[in-house]
């Protein structure tokens, strides 16, 4: 489906696509899950932990938090859910300037959200789009090829400003992602040890417990 979206696979996915040609979907998926390069990249976004928490088991009727992708393939909308055995075909859609599938996807997503109306509000929507820097560079080349004019100068200035903002945003995201993946547990453990050494840990604990109770009461009051 990369051709439809205008995506350049890159060496890793090109190698994978070439290797799994002729494979059935299950074997293709199994092959990807066993690719060292993809597994290492995936695991690099996991926050390091000193210990693991035992989480309560979900009931069969409950949905776990995970990402579900919706993609257009040859005029049909497919749902890709890692917890399901195979892609879900949501039917065809009317094509219009490459965005017709969005109307179909919107309809399916709204039905999914409505299913949990009243008891769940935590939903995140993300779109995989063309690299904005590449997009701006292409626009800049197109504008710079035009004859000199005041309108051209303004357009060039606007595009360069957008590129600068995108570069700045990526630097902020790089720092934020680095902090997100960092494990602060060693620092927290040392802090608690120092607080205990100076006889302040119990007081902080009592304060935290009081705040926790207050937050629960406020939440219950808001619901009612």
């Amino acid at each position: 489906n990369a051709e439809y979206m205008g995506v350049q696979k890159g060496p890793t996915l090109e190698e994978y696509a070439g290797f799994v040609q002729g494979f059935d979907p299950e074997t293709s998926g199994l092959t990807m899950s066993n690719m060292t390069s993809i597994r290492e990249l995936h695991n690099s976004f996991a926050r390091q932990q000193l210990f693991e928490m035992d989480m309560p088991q979900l009931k069969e009727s409950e949905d776990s938090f995970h990402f579900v992708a919706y993609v257009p393939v040859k005029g049909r909308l497919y749902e890709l859910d890692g917890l399901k055995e195979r892609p879900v075909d949501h039917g065809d859609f009317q094509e219009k300037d490459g965005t017709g599938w969005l109307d179909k996807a919107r309809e399916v997503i709204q039905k999914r959200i409505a299913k949990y109306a009243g008891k769940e509000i935590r939903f995140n929507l993300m779109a995989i789009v063309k690299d904005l820097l590449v997009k701006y560079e292409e626009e800049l080349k197109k504008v710079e090829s035009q004859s000199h004019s005041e309108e051209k100068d303004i357009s060039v200035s606007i595009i360069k400003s957008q590129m600068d903002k995108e570069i700045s945003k990526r630097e902020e995201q790089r720092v934020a992602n680095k902090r997100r993946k960092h494990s602060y547990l060693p620092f927290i453990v040392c802090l608690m040890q120092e607080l205990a050494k100076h006889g302040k840990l119990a007081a902080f604990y009592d304060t935290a417990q009081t705040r926790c109770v207050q937050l629960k009461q406020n939440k219950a009051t808001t619901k009612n």
Side-chain angles (χ1 to χ4, degrees), residues 1-9 13-14 17 21 72-74 98:
N1 200 40
E3 290 75 17
Y4 182 95
M5 302 297 291
V7 175
Q8 295 181 351
K9 300 189 187 76
L13 292 182
E14 283 286 2
Q21 276 190 350
V73 180
K74 297 180 180 179

Side-chain angles (χ1 to χ4, degrees), residues 35-171:
M35 288 182 66
T36 303
S37 55
I38 292 180
R39 183 166 61 249
E40 288 177 349
L41 179 62
H42 176 273
N43 292 340
S44 72
F45 284 87
R47 183 176 294 153
Q48 296 181 11
Q49 301 287 356
L50 292 179
F51 48 82
E52 296 293 333
M53 299 286 192
D54 284 333
M55 303 301 291
Q57 294 293 320
L58 291 173
K59 297 178 182 178
E60 289 188 6
S61 59
E62 293 180 330
D63 234 342
S64 61
F65 289 103
H66 66 290
F67 287 109
V68 176
Y70 295 92
V71 295
V73 180
K74 297 180 180 179
R76 302 187 72 82
L77 178 71
Y78 288 91
E79 174 185 327
L80 306 180
D81 186 339
L83 299 183
K84 295 180 180 177
E85 292 185 357
R86 58 184 60 85
V88 177
D89 184 355
H90 286 290
D92 58 2
F93 57 86
Q94 295 298 319
E95 189 58 271
K96 51 179 181 180
D97 300 325
T99 61
W101 73 277
L102 294 175
D103 294 333
K104 183 72 174 180
R106 187 181 299 110
E107 176 187 333
V108 173
I109 292 171
Q110 286 175 337
K111 286 182 180 178
R112 187 184 184 96
I113 292 176
K115 177 181 175 183
Y116 303 97
K119 62 178 181 179
E120 184 57 76
I121 60 172
R122 292 169 292 180
F123 295 96
N124 288 315
L125 293 178
M126 294 187 296
I128 299 178
V129 300
K130 188 173 184 177
D131 188 321
L132 287 179
L133 274 181
V134 173
K135 176 176 175 286
Y136 293 146
E137 287 170 356
E138 291 175 351
E139 291 178 356
L140 185 60
K141 288 180 180 179
K142 185 177 180 180
V143 172
E144 288 181 332
S145 66
Q146 299 173 0
S147 301
H148 179 73
S149 66
E150 184 178 347
E151 184 179 347
K152 172 186 175 180
D153 293 340
I154 294 174
S155 297
V156 168
S157 178
I158 291 174
I159 295 173
K160 286 185 175 180
S161 175
Q162 291 174 323
M163 292 176 71
D164 289 339
K165 287 180 180 179
E166 181 65 20
I167 292 172
S168 177
K169 183 179 73 174
R170 292 188 182 195
E171 176 58 22

